[in-house]
PDB file of all heavy atoms in Angstrom:
ATOM      1  N   SER A1144       4.658 -14.367 -40.305  1.00 95.00           N
ATOM      2  CA  SER A1144       4.290 -13.143 -41.025  1.00 95.00           C
ATOM      3  C   SER A1144       5.143 -12.941 -42.274  1.00 95.00           C
ATOM      4  O   SER A1144       4.761 -12.205 -43.182  1.00 95.00           O
ATOM      5  CB  SER A1144       4.451 -11.928 -40.108  1.00 95.00           C
ATOM      6  OG  SER A1144       5.829 -11.623 -39.900  1.00 95.00           O
ATOM      7  N   ASP A1145       6.327 -13.571 -42.300  1.00 94.00           N
ATOM      8  CA  ASP A1145       7.284 -13.412 -43.413  1.00 94.00           C
ATOM      9  C   ASP A1145       7.717 -11.955 -43.581  1.00 94.00           C
ATOM     10  O   ASP A1145       8.175 -11.563 -44.661  1.00 94.00           O
ATOM     11  CB  ASP A1145       6.693 -13.916 -44.740  1.00 94.00           C
ATOM     12  CG  ASP A1145       6.523 -15.425 -44.756  1.00 94.00           C
ATOM     13  OD1 ASP A1145       7.375 -16.119 -44.180  1.00 94.00           O
ATOM     14  OD2 ASP A1145       5.527 -15.903 -45.329  1.00 94.00           O
ATOM     15  N   ALA A1146       7.595 -11.166 -42.543  1.00 94.00           N
ATOM     16  CA  ALA A1146       7.932  -9.743 -42.641  1.00 94.00           C
ATOM     17  C   ALA A1146       9.319  -9.433 -42.094  1.00 94.00           C
ATOM     18  O   ALA A1146       9.825  -8.334 -42.292  1.00 94.00           O
ATOM     19  CB  ALA A1146       6.887  -8.912 -41.893  1.00 94.00           C
ATOM     20  N   VAL A1147       9.926 -10.399 -41.395  1.00 95.00           N
ATOM     21  CA  VAL A1147      11.235 -10.199 -40.770  1.00 95.00           C
ATOM     22  C   VAL A1147      12.185 -11.286 -41.276  1.00 95.00           C
ATOM     23  O   VAL A1147      11.780 -12.439 -41.448  1.00 95.00           O
ATOM     24  CB  VAL A1147      11.119 -10.263 -39.231  1.00 95.00           C
ATOM     25  CG1 VAL A1147      12.489 -10.238 -38.572  1.00 95.00           C
ATOM     26  CG2 VAL A1147      10.271  -9.106 -38.718  1.00 95.00           C
ATOM     27  N   SER A1148      13.437 -10.926 -41.514  1.00 95.00           N
ATOM     28  CA  SER A1148      14.432 -11.903 -41.969  1.00 95.00           C
ATOM     29  C   SER A1148      14.525 -13.052 -40.969  1.00 95.00           C
ATOM     30  O   SER A1148      14.676 -12.830 -39.762  1.00 95.00           O
ATOM     31  CB  SER A1148      15.800 -11.237 -42.108  1.00 95.00           C
ATOM     32  OG  SER A1148      15.754 -10.206 -43.068  1.00 95.00           O
ATOM     33  N   CYS A1149      14.441 -14.276 -41.467  1.00 96.00           N
ATOM     34  CA  CYS A1149      14.397 -15.449 -40.592  1.00 96.00           C
ATOM     35  C   CYS A1149      15.319 -16.536 -41.137  1.00 96.00           C
ATOM     36  O   CYS A1149      15.220 -16.915 -42.306  1.00 96.00           O
ATOM     37  CB  CYS A1149      12.971 -15.974 -40.472  1.00 96.00           C
ATOM     38  SG  CYS A1149      12.817 -17.436 -39.420  1.00 96.00           S
ATOM     39  N   ILE A1150      16.203 -17.042 -40.296  1.00 95.00           N
ATOM     40  CA  ILE A1150      17.080 -18.155 -40.640  1.00 95.00           C
ATOM     41  C   ILE A1150      16.621 -19.370 -39.840  1.00 95.00           C
ATOM     42  O   ILE A1150      16.591 -19.333 -38.606  1.00 95.00           O
ATOM     43  CB  ILE A1150      18.555 -17.847 -40.311  1.00 95.00           C
ATOM     44  CG1 ILE A1150      19.021 -16.588 -41.041  1.00 95.00           C
ATOM     45  CG2 ILE A1150      19.432 -19.046 -40.655  1.00 95.00           C
ATOM     46  CD1 ILE A1150      19.046 -16.703 -42.546  1.00 95.00           C
ATOM     47  N   LYS A1151      16.261 -20.446 -40.542  1.00 95.00           N
ATOM     48  CA  LYS A1151      15.816 -21.675 -39.882  1.00 95.00           C
ATOM     49  C   LYS A1151      16.940 -22.705 -39.951  1.00 95.00           C
ATOM     50  O   LYS A1151      17.415 -23.049 -41.036  1.00 95.00           O
ATOM     51  CB  LYS A1151      14.550 -22.208 -40.548  1.00 95.00           C
ATOM     52  CG  LYS A1151      13.367 -21.252 -40.419  1.00 95.00           C
ATOM     53  CD  LYS A1151      12.095 -21.813 -41.037  1.00 95.00           C
ATOM     54  CE  LYS A1151      10.943 -20.811 -40.890  1.00 95.00           C
ATOM     55  NZ  LYS A1151       9.682 -21.297 -41.474  1.00 95.00           N
ATOM     56  N   LEU A1152      17.370 -23.179 -38.793  1.00 93.00           N
ATOM     57  CA  LEU A1152      18.468 -24.148 -38.692  1.00 93.00           C
ATOM     58  C   LEU A1152      17.895 -25.549 -38.535  1.00 93.00           C
ATOM     59  O   LEU A1152      17.038 -25.777 -37.674  1.00 93.00           O
ATOM     60  CB  LEU A1152      19.355 -23.817 -37.492  1.00 93.00           C
ATOM     61  CG  LEU A1152      19.877 -22.368 -37.403  1.00 93.00           C
ATOM     62  CD1 LEU A1152      20.556 -22.142 -36.057  1.00 93.00           C
ATOM     63  CD2 LEU A1152      20.838 -22.071 -38.537  1.00 93.00           C
ATOM     64  N   ASP A1153      18.357 -26.494 -39.336  1.00 87.00           N
ATOM     65  CA  ASP A1153      17.847 -27.863 -39.220  1.00 87.00           C
ATOM     66  C   ASP A1153      18.938 -28.929 -39.254  1.00 87.00           C
ATOM     67  O   ASP A1153      18.655 -30.116 -39.170  1.00 87.00           O
ATOM     68  CB  ASP A1153      16.803 -28.151 -40.312  1.00 87.00           C
ATOM     69  CG  ASP A1153      17.317 -27.835 -41.709  1.00 87.00           C
ATOM     70  OD1 ASP A1153      18.538 -27.748 -41.880  1.00 87.00           O
ATOM     71  OD2 ASP A1153      16.479 -27.678 -42.618  1.00 87.00           O
ATOM     72  N   GLU A1154      20.190 -28.505 -39.362  1.00 86.00           N
ATOM     73  CA  GLU A1154      21.294 -29.472 -39.370  1.00 86.00           C
ATOM     74  C   GLU A1154      21.754 -29.740 -37.943  1.00 86.00           C
ATOM     75  O   GLU A1154      22.073 -28.816 -37.192  1.00 86.00           O
ATOM     76  CB  GLU A1154      22.465 -28.926 -40.195  1.00 86.00           C
ATOM     77  CG  GLU A1154      23.658 -29.872 -40.242  1.00 86.00           C
ATOM     78  CD  GLU A1154      24.836 -29.288 -40.997  1.00 86.00           C
ATOM     79  OE1 GLU A1154      24.694 -28.204 -41.604  1.00 86.00           O
ATOM     80  OE2 GLU A1154      25.913 -29.908 -40.965  1.00 86.00           O
ATOM     81  N   ILE A1155      21.807 -31.035 -37.569  1.00 85.00           N
ATOM     82  CA  ILE A1155      22.311 -31.420 -36.250  1.00 85.00           C
ATOM     83  C   ILE A1155      23.805 -31.682 -36.375  1.00 85.00           C
ATOM     84  O   ILE A1155      24.237 -32.473 -37.211  1.00 85.00           O
ATOM     85  CB  ILE A1155      21.613 -32.685 -35.713  1.00 85.00           C
ATOM     86  CG1 ILE A1155      20.094 -32.515 -35.730  1.00 85.00           C
ATOM     87  CG2 ILE A1155      22.092 -33.000 -34.303  1.00 85.00           C
ATOM     88  CD1 ILE A1155      19.344 -33.764 -35.331  1.00 85.00           C
ATOM     89  N   PHE A1156      24.606 -31.038 -35.537  1.00 78.00           N
ATOM     90  CA  PHE A1156      26.049 -31.159 -35.655  1.00 78.00           C
ATOM     91  C   PHE A1156      26.575 -32.398 -34.931  1.00 78.00           C
ATOM     92  O   PHE A1156      25.912 -32.963 -34.064  1.00 78.00           O
ATOM     93  CB  PHE A1156      26.726 -29.882 -35.162  1.00 78.00           C
ATOM     94  CG  PHE A1156      26.419 -28.714 -36.060  1.00 78.00           C
ATOM     95  CD1 PHE A1156      25.413 -27.812 -35.746  1.00 78.00           C
ATOM     96  CD2 PHE A1156      27.100 -28.571 -37.264  1.00 78.00           C
ATOM     97  CE1 PHE A1156      25.111 -26.761 -36.603  1.00 78.00           C
ATOM     98  CE2 PHE A1156      26.804 -27.521 -38.124  1.00 78.00           C
ATOM     99  CZ  PHE A1156      25.802 -26.618 -37.795  1.00 78.00           C
ATOM    100  N   ARG A1157      27.790 -32.799 -35.307  1.00 57.00           N
ATOM    101  CA  ARG A1157      28.341 -34.097 -34.910  1.00 57.00           C
ATOM    102  C   ARG A1157      28.261 -34.338 -33.408  1.00 57.00           C
ATOM    103  O   ARG A1157      27.772 -35.367 -32.954  1.00 57.00           O
ATOM    104  CB  ARG A1157      29.797 -34.204 -35.373  1.00 57.00           C
ATOM    105  CG  ARG A1157      30.439 -35.563 -35.044  1.00 57.00           C
ATOM    106  CD  ARG A1157      31.895 -35.590 -35.434  1.00 57.00           C
ATOM    107  NE  ARG A1157      32.648 -34.580 -34.710  1.00 57.00           N
ATOM    108  CZ  ARG A1157      33.078 -34.726 -33.446  1.00 57.00           C
ATOM    109  NH1 ARG A1157      32.811 -35.828 -32.797  1.00 57.00           N
ATOM    110  NH2 ARG A1157      33.753 -33.770 -32.852  1.00 57.00           N
ATOM    111  N   GLN A1158      28.732 -33.373 -32.618  1.00 63.00           N
ATOM    112  CA  GLN A1158      28.749 -33.570 -31.168  1.00 63.00           C
ATOM    113  C   GLN A1158      27.336 -33.760 -30.633  1.00 63.00           C
ATOM    114  O   GLN A1158      27.091 -34.587 -29.766  1.00 63.00           O
ATOM    115  CB  GLN A1158      29.424 -32.387 -30.485  1.00 63.00           C
ATOM    116  CG  GLN A1158      29.638 -32.601 -28.989  1.00 63.00           C
ATOM    117  CD  GLN A1158      30.410 -31.450 -28.364  1.00 63.00           C
ATOM    118  OE1 GLN A1158      30.779 -30.498 -29.035  1.00 63.00           O
ATOM    119  NE2 GLN A1158      30.674 -31.541 -27.073  1.00 63.00           N
ATOM    120  N   ALA A1159      26.382 -32.982 -31.167  1.00 59.00           N
ATOM    121  CA  ALA A1159      24.997 -33.098 -30.718  1.00 59.00           C
ATOM    122  C   ALA A1159      24.403 -34.440 -31.112  1.00 59.00           C
ATOM    123  O   ALA A1159      23.559 -34.994 -30.404  1.00 59.00           O
ATOM    124  CB  ALA A1159      24.167 -31.962 -31.304  1.00 59.00           C
ATOM    125  N   ARG A1160      24.850 -35.000 -32.276  1.00 64.00           N
ATOM    126  CA  ARG A1160      24.308 -36.282 -32.737  1.00 64.00           C
ATOM    127  C   ARG A1160      24.690 -37.427 -31.803  1.00 64.00           C
ATOM    128  O   ARG A1160      24.079 -38.487 -31.821  1.00 64.00           O
ATOM    129  CB  ARG A1160      24.809 -36.592 -34.150  1.00 64.00           C
ATOM    130  CG  ARG A1160      24.121 -35.770 -35.226  1.00 64.00           C
ATOM    131  CD  ARG A1160      24.316 -36.403 -36.599  1.00 64.00           C
ATOM    132  NE  ARG A1160      25.727 -36.498 -36.968  1.00 64.00           N
ATOM    133  CZ  ARG A1160      26.380 -35.571 -37.654  1.00 64.00           C
ATOM    134  NH1 ARG A1160      25.746 -34.478 -38.052  1.00 64.00           N
ATOM    135  NH2 ARG A1160      27.659 -35.740 -37.956  1.00 64.00           N
ATOM    136  N   GLU A1161      25.712 -37.201 -30.962  1.00 74.00           N
ATOM    137  CA  GLU A1161      26.127 -38.235 -30.018  1.00 74.00           C
ATOM    138  C   GLU A1161      25.184 -38.318 -28.818  1.00 74.00           C
ATOM    139  O   GLU A1161      25.239 -39.270 -28.048  1.00 74.00           O
ATOM    140  CB  GLU A1161      27.551 -37.952 -29.544  1.00 74.00           C
ATOM    141  CG  GLU A1161      28.577 -38.036 -30.674  1.00 74.00           C
ATOM    142  CD  GLU A1161      29.955 -37.573 -30.240  1.00 74.00           C
ATOM    143  OE1 GLU A1161      30.096 -37.202 -29.050  1.00 74.00           O
ATOM    144  OE2 GLU A1161      30.869 -37.571 -31.078  1.00 74.00           O
ATOM    145  N   SER A1162      24.343 -37.321 -28.644  1.00 87.00           N
ATOM    146  CA  SER A1162      23.384 -37.310 -27.535  1.00 87.00           C
ATOM    147  C   SER A1162      22.041 -37.820 -28.017  1.00 87.00           C
ATOM    148  O   SER A1162      21.451 -37.276 -28.952  1.00 87.00           O
ATOM    149  CB  SER A1162      23.220 -35.891 -26.983  1.00 87.00           C
ATOM    150  OG  SER A1162      22.091 -35.818 -26.147  1.00 87.00           O
ATOM    151  N   MET A1163      21.555 -38.883 -27.386  1.00 92.00           N
ATOM    152  CA  MET A1163      20.246 -39.404 -27.760  1.00 92.00           C
ATOM    153  C   MET A1163      19.135 -38.429 -27.369  1.00 92.00           C
ATOM    154  O   MET A1163      18.053 -38.468 -27.946  1.00 92.00           O
ATOM    155  CB  MET A1163      20.030 -40.764 -27.098  1.00 92.00           C
ATOM    156  CG  MET A1163      18.998 -41.628 -27.816  1.00 92.00           C
ATOM    157  SD  MET A1163      19.360 -41.872 -29.575  1.00 92.00           S
ATOM    158  CE  MET A1163      20.882 -42.794 -29.485  1.00 92.00           C
ATOM    159  N   ILE A1164      19.407 -37.542 -26.401  1.00 94.00           N
ATOM    160  CA  ILE A1164      18.415 -36.515 -26.055  1.00 94.00           C
ATOM    161  C   ILE A1164      18.151 -35.637 -27.270  1.00 94.00           C
ATOM    162  O   ILE A1164      16.998 -35.388 -27.643  1.00 94.00           O
ATOM    163  CB  ILE A1164      18.905 -35.646 -24.870  1.00 94.00           C
ATOM    164  CG1 ILE A1164      19.032 -36.484 -23.594  1.00 94.00           C
ATOM    165  CG2 ILE A1164      17.938 -34.481 -24.630  1.00 94.00           C
ATOM    166  CD1 ILE A1164      19.686 -35.741 -22.439  1.00 94.00           C
ATOM    167  N   VAL A1165      19.224 -35.181 -27.919  1.00 93.00           N
ATOM    168  CA  VAL A1165      19.076 -34.322 -29.096  1.00 93.00           C
ATOM    169  C   VAL A1165      18.450 -35.097 -30.250  1.00 93.00           C
ATOM    170  O   VAL A1165      17.520 -34.617 -30.911  1.00 93.00           O
ATOM    171  CB  VAL A1165      20.446 -33.745 -29.514  1.00 93.00           C
ATOM    172  CG1 VAL A1165      20.332 -33.003 -30.838  1.00 93.00           C
ATOM    173  CG2 VAL A1165      20.980 -32.819 -28.429  1.00 93.00           C
ATOM    174  N   VAL A1166      18.964 -36.315 -30.503  1.00 92.00           N
ATOM    175  CA  VAL A1166      18.430 -37.138 -31.600  1.00 92.00           C
ATOM    176  C   VAL A1166      16.938 -37.390 -31.405  1.00 92.00           C
ATOM    177  O   VAL A1166      16.129 -37.230 -32.323  1.00 92.00           O
ATOM    178  CB  VAL A1166      19.205 -38.469 -31.690  1.00 92.00           C
ATOM    179  CG1 VAL A1166      18.514 -39.425 -32.666  1.00 92.00           C
ATOM    180  CG2 VAL A1166      20.642 -38.219 -32.114  1.00 92.00           C
ATOM    181  N   ASN A1167      16.561 -37.772 -30.181  1.00 94.00           N
ATOM    182  CA  ASN A1167      15.155 -38.083 -29.918  1.00 94.00           C
ATOM    183  C   ASN A1167      14.270 -36.844 -29.949  1.00 94.00           C
ATOM    184  O   ASN A1167      13.095 -36.925 -30.332  1.00 94.00           O
ATOM    185  CB  ASN A1167      15.013 -38.801 -28.575  1.00 94.00           C
ATOM    186  CG  ASN A1167      15.399 -40.261 -28.670  1.00 94.00           C
ATOM    187  OD1 ASN A1167      15.383 -40.848 -29.751  1.00 94.00           O
ATOM    188  ND2 ASN A1167      15.739 -40.872 -27.540  1.00 94.00           N
ATOM    189  N   ALA A1168      14.814 -35.702 -29.542  1.00 94.00           N
ATOM    190  CA  ALA A1168      14.035 -34.465 -29.632  1.00 94.00           C
ATOM    191  C   ALA A1168      13.635 -34.208 -31.079  1.00 94.00           C
ATOM    192  O   ALA A1168      12.470 -33.888 -31.381  1.00 94.00           O
ATOM    193  CB  ALA A1168      14.835 -33.292 -29.086  1.00 94.00           C
ATOM    194  N   HIS A1169      14.573 -34.357 -31.992  1.00 93.00           N
ATOM    195  CA  HIS A1169      14.270 -34.127 -33.408  1.00 93.00           C
ATOM    196  C   HIS A1169      13.365 -35.225 -33.971  1.00 93.00           C
ATOM    197  O   HIS A1169      12.489 -34.939 -34.801  1.00 93.00           O
ATOM    198  CB  HIS A1169      15.572 -34.029 -34.205  1.00 93.00           C
ATOM    199  CG  HIS A1169      16.294 -32.734 -33.976  1.00 93.00           C
ATOM    200  ND1 HIS A1169      16.024 -31.593 -34.696  1.00 93.00           N
ATOM    201  CD2 HIS A1169      17.254 -32.387 -33.074  1.00 93.00           C
ATOM    202  CE1 HIS A1169      16.796 -30.607 -34.279  1.00 93.00           C
ATOM    203  NE2 HIS A1169      17.551 -31.060 -33.280  1.00 93.00           N
ATOM    204  N   ARG A1170      13.551 -36.446 -33.507  1.00 95.00           N
ATOM    205  CA  ARG A1170      12.662 -37.531 -33.968  1.00 95.00           C
ATOM    206  C   ARG A1170      11.219 -37.249 -33.533  1.00 95.00           C
ATOM    207  O   ARG A1170      10.280 -37.362 -34.327  1.00 95.00           O
ATOM    208  CB  ARG A1170      13.131 -38.879 -33.404  1.00 95.00           C
ATOM    209  CG  ARG A1170      14.397 -39.421 -34.055  1.00 95.00           C
ATOM    210  CD  ARG A1170      14.745 -40.801 -33.504  1.00 95.00           C
ATOM    211  NE  ARG A1170      13.727 -41.793 -33.829  1.00 95.00           N
ATOM    212  CZ  ARG A1170      13.638 -42.435 -34.991  1.00 95.00           C
ATOM    213  NH1 ARG A1170      14.508 -42.188 -35.964  1.00 95.00           N
ATOM    214  NH2 ARG A1170      12.688 -43.330 -35.190  1.00 95.00           N
ATOM    215  N   ILE A1171      11.053 -36.872 -32.281  1.00 96.00           N
ATOM    216  CA  ILE A1171       9.705 -36.557 -31.780  1.00 96.00           C
ATOM    217  C   ILE A1171       9.115 -35.390 -32.565  1.00 96.00           C
ATOM    218  O   ILE A1171       7.943 -35.420 -32.962  1.00 96.00           O
ATOM    219  CB  ILE A1171       9.768 -36.241 -30.269  1.00 96.00           C
ATOM    220  CG1 ILE A1171      10.040 -37.517 -29.474  1.00 96.00           C
ATOM    221  CG2 ILE A1171       8.463 -35.585 -29.791  1.00 96.00           C
ATOM    222  CD1 ILE A1171      10.431 -37.280 -28.031  1.00 96.00           C
ATOM    223  N   ASN A1172       9.934 -34.387 -32.807  1.00 93.00           N
ATOM    224  CA  ASN A1172       9.453 -33.206 -33.535  1.00 93.00           C
ATOM    225  C   ASN A1172       9.019 -33.545 -34.957  1.00 93.00           C
ATOM    226  O   ASN A1172       8.172 -32.867 -35.538  1.00 93.00           O
ATOM    227  CB  ASN A1172      10.550 -32.136 -33.555  1.00 93.00           C
ATOM    228  CG  ASN A1172       9.999 -30.745 -33.773  1.00 93.00           C
ATOM    229  OD1 ASN A1172       8.867 -30.450 -33.398  1.00 93.00           O
ATOM    230  ND2 ASN A1172      10.777 -29.891 -34.390  1.00 93.00           N
ATOM    231  N   HIS A1173       9.607 -34.604 -35.528  1.00 93.00           N
ATOM    232  CA  HIS A1173       9.240 -35.036 -36.876  1.00 93.00           C
ATOM    233  C   HIS A1173       8.177 -36.128 -36.867  1.00 93.00           C
ATOM    234  O   HIS A1173       7.884 -36.727 -37.909  1.00 93.00           O
ATOM    235  CB  HIS A1173      10.486 -35.544 -37.619  1.00 93.00           C
ATOM    236  CG  HIS A1173      11.498 -34.478 -37.864  1.00 93.00           C
ATOM    237  ND1 HIS A1173      12.859 -34.700 -37.781  1.00 93.00           N
ATOM    238  CD2 HIS A1173      11.355 -33.167 -38.158  1.00 93.00           C
ATOM    239  CE1 HIS A1173      13.503 -33.575 -38.031  1.00 93.00           C
ATOM    240  NE2 HIS A1173      12.611 -32.626 -38.255  1.00 93.00           N
ATOM    241  N   GLY A1174       7.628 -36.423 -35.675  1.00 95.00           N
ATOM    242  CA  GLY A1174       6.553 -37.412 -35.592  1.00 95.00           C
ATOM    243  C   GLY A1174       7.036 -38.842 -35.534  1.00 95.00           C
ATOM    244  O   GLY A1174       6.279 -39.771 -35.844  1.00 95.00           O
ATOM    245  N   GLU A1175       8.294 -39.049 -35.125  1.00 96.00           N
ATOM    246  CA  GLU A1175       8.865 -40.394 -35.041  1.00 96.00           C
ATOM    247  C   GLU A1175       9.075 -40.781 -33.582  1.00 96.00           C
ATOM    248  O   GLU A1175       9.368 -39.932 -32.737  1.00 96.00           O
ATOM    249  CB  GLU A1175      10.208 -40.447 -35.784  1.00 96.00           C
ATOM    250  CG  GLU A1175      10.103 -40.087 -37.247  1.00 96.00           C
ATOM    251  CD  GLU A1175      11.462 -39.881 -37.900  1.00 96.00           C
ATOM    252  OE1 GLU A1175      12.492 -39.816 -37.183  1.00 96.00           O
ATOM    253  OE2 GLU A1175      11.493 -39.761 -39.137  1.00 96.00           O
ATOM    254  N   MET A1176       8.941 -42.062 -33.297  1.00 96.00           N
ATOM    255  CA  MET A1176       9.157 -42.538 -31.933  1.00 96.00           C
ATOM    256  C   MET A1176      10.624 -42.388 -31.534  1.00 96.00           C
ATOM    257  O   MET A1176      11.526 -42.601 -32.345  1.00 96.00           O
ATOM    258  CB  MET A1176       8.741 -44.008 -31.806  1.00 96.00           C
ATOM    259  CG  MET A1176       7.250 -44.209 -31.700  1.00 96.00           C
ATOM    260  SD  MET A1176       6.589 -43.600 -30.117  1.00 96.00           S
ATOM    261  CE  MET A1176       7.184 -44.850 -28.973  1.00 96.00           C
ATOM    262  N   PRO A1177      10.899 -42.029 -30.286  1.00 95.00           N
ATOM    263  CA  PRO A1177      12.288 -41.916 -29.833  1.00 95.00           C
ATOM    264  C   PRO A1177      12.936 -43.289 -29.671  1.00 95.00           C
ATOM    265  O   PRO A1177      12.238 -44.292 -29.470  1.00 95.00           O
ATOM    266  CB  PRO A1177      12.150 -41.213 -28.478  1.00 95.00           C
ATOM    267  CG  PRO A1177      10.788 -41.594 -27.988  1.00 95.00           C
ATOM    268  CD  PRO A1177       9.931 -41.673 -29.227  1.00 95.00           C
ATOM    269  N   TYR A1178      14.263 -43.340 -29.761  1.00 92.00           N
ATOM    270  CA  TYR A1178      15.007 -44.549 -29.433  1.00 92.00           C
ATOM    271  C   TYR A1178      15.063 -44.669 -27.914  1.00 92.00           C
ATOM    272  O   TYR A1178      15.358 -43.697 -27.209  1.00 92.00           O
ATOM    273  CB  TYR A1178      16.422 -44.474 -29.995  1.00 92.00           C
ATOM    274  CG  TYR A1178      16.500 -44.398 -31.501  1.00 92.00           C
ATOM    275  CD1 TYR A1178      17.158 -43.341 -32.129  1.00 92.00           C
ATOM    276  CD2 TYR A1178      15.920 -45.383 -32.307  1.00 92.00           C
ATOM    277  CE1 TYR A1178      17.243 -43.259 -33.514  1.00 92.00           C
ATOM    278  CE2 TYR A1178      15.987 -45.315 -33.693  1.00 92.00           C
ATOM    279  CZ  TYR A1178      16.651 -44.247 -34.294  1.00 92.00           C
ATOM    280  OH  TYR A1178      16.728 -44.174 -35.656  1.00 92.00           O
ATOM    281  N   LEU A1179      14.816 -45.855 -27.398  1.00 91.00           N
ATOM    282  CA  LEU A1179      14.713 -46.043 -25.951  1.00 91.00           C
ATOM    283  C   LEU A1179      15.718 -47.073 -25.445  1.00 91.00           C
ATOM    284  O   LEU A1179      15.991 -48.081 -26.114  1.00 91.00           O
ATOM    285  CB  LEU A1179      13.300 -46.496 -25.570  1.00 91.00           C
ATOM    286  CG  LEU A1179      12.151 -45.541 -25.947  1.00 91.00           C
ATOM    287  CD1 LEU A1179      10.813 -46.233 -25.767  1.00 91.00           C
ATOM    288  CD2 LEU A1179      12.225 -44.274 -25.110  1.00 91.00           C
ATOM    289  N   ASN A1180      16.264 -46.798 -24.263  1.00 80.00           N
ATOM    290  CA  ASN A1180      16.994 -47.784 -23.459  1.00 80.00           C
ATOM    291  C   ASN A1180      18.254 -48.345 -24.103  1.00 80.00           C
ATOM    292  O   ASN A1180      18.566 -49.524 -23.947  1.00 80.00           O
ATOM    293  CB  ASN A1180      16.061 -48.930 -23.041  1.00 80.00           C
ATOM    294  CG  ASN A1180      14.960 -48.450 -22.124  1.00 80.00           C
ATOM    295  OD1 ASN A1180      15.039 -47.360 -21.574  1.00 80.00           O
ATOM    296  ND2 ASN A1180      13.921 -49.257 -21.959  1.00 80.00           N
ATOM    297  N   ASP A1181      19.002 -47.490 -24.789  1.00 76.00           N
ATOM    298  CA  ASP A1181      20.356 -47.860 -25.182  1.00 76.00           C
ATOM    299  C   ASP A1181      21.220 -47.750 -23.924  1.00 76.00           C
ATOM    300  O   ASP A1181      21.364 -46.671 -23.348  1.00 76.00           O
ATOM    301  CB  ASP A1181      20.866 -46.904 -26.267  1.00 76.00           C
ATOM    302  CG  ASP A1181      22.250 -47.277 -26.769  1.00 76.00           C
ATOM    303  OD1 ASP A1181      22.977 -47.928 -26.022  1.00 76.00           O
ATOM    304  OD2 ASP A1181      22.583 -46.896 -27.906  1.00 76.00           O
TER     305      ASP A1181
END
Side-chain angles (χ1 to χ4, degrees):
S1144 73
D1145 291 324
V1147 173
S1148 298
C1149 179
I1150 302 295
K1151 297 182 180 180
L1152 308 171
D1153 53 19
E1154 180 183 353
I1155 306 175
F1156 293 98
R1157 182 184 61 80
Q1158 187 176 0
R1160 285 198 300 268
E1161 296 172 1
S1162 166
M1163 203 55 65
I1164 295 172
V1165 173
V1166 171
N1167 282 338
H1169 286 274
R1170 287 184 64 82
I1171 289 167
N1172 203 29
H1173 295 142
E1175 301 169 349
M1176 282 291 287
Y1178 297 123
L1179 300 169
N1180 295 344
D1181 183 336

